[in-house]
Amino acid sequence: MSLNLRPASECALDQLSLGEVMLRLDPGEGRIRTARRFTAWEGGGEYNTSRGLRKCLACGRPCAPPSSTTRSAT
């Protein structure tokens, strides 16, 4: 079986992934009820597969590091 792929110069995207991203809000050492700040972590099956595929294929652009953005709860 052969794949009829277009040349990279004709493509707008390197990869397309359909699915959800799980966003985990980590309150740290305290309780969720009293937390004023959370650290956000992303993940999920489709997201992890897509990210691994991107690293495996070395798409030519640097991969962004996993995010751990602190957001205010207010």
Side-chain angles (χ1 to χ4, degrees), residues 3-47:
L3 293 175
N4 296 322
L5 300 176
R6 293 186 292 172
S9 60
E10 294 180 17
C11 299
L13 303 172
D14 292 324
Q15 173 181 327
L16 177 65
S17 178
L18 303 175
E20 74 277 359
V21 173
M22 177 187 68
L23 185 63
R24 181 176 64 126
L25 300 175
D26 182 8
E29 297 294 321
R31 294 179 174 263
I32 290 175
R33 185 176 189 146
T34 59
R36 302 285 296 166
R37 300 176 70 83
F38 293 93
T39 302
W41 299 92
E42 80 277 353
E46 291 86 358
Y47 176 81

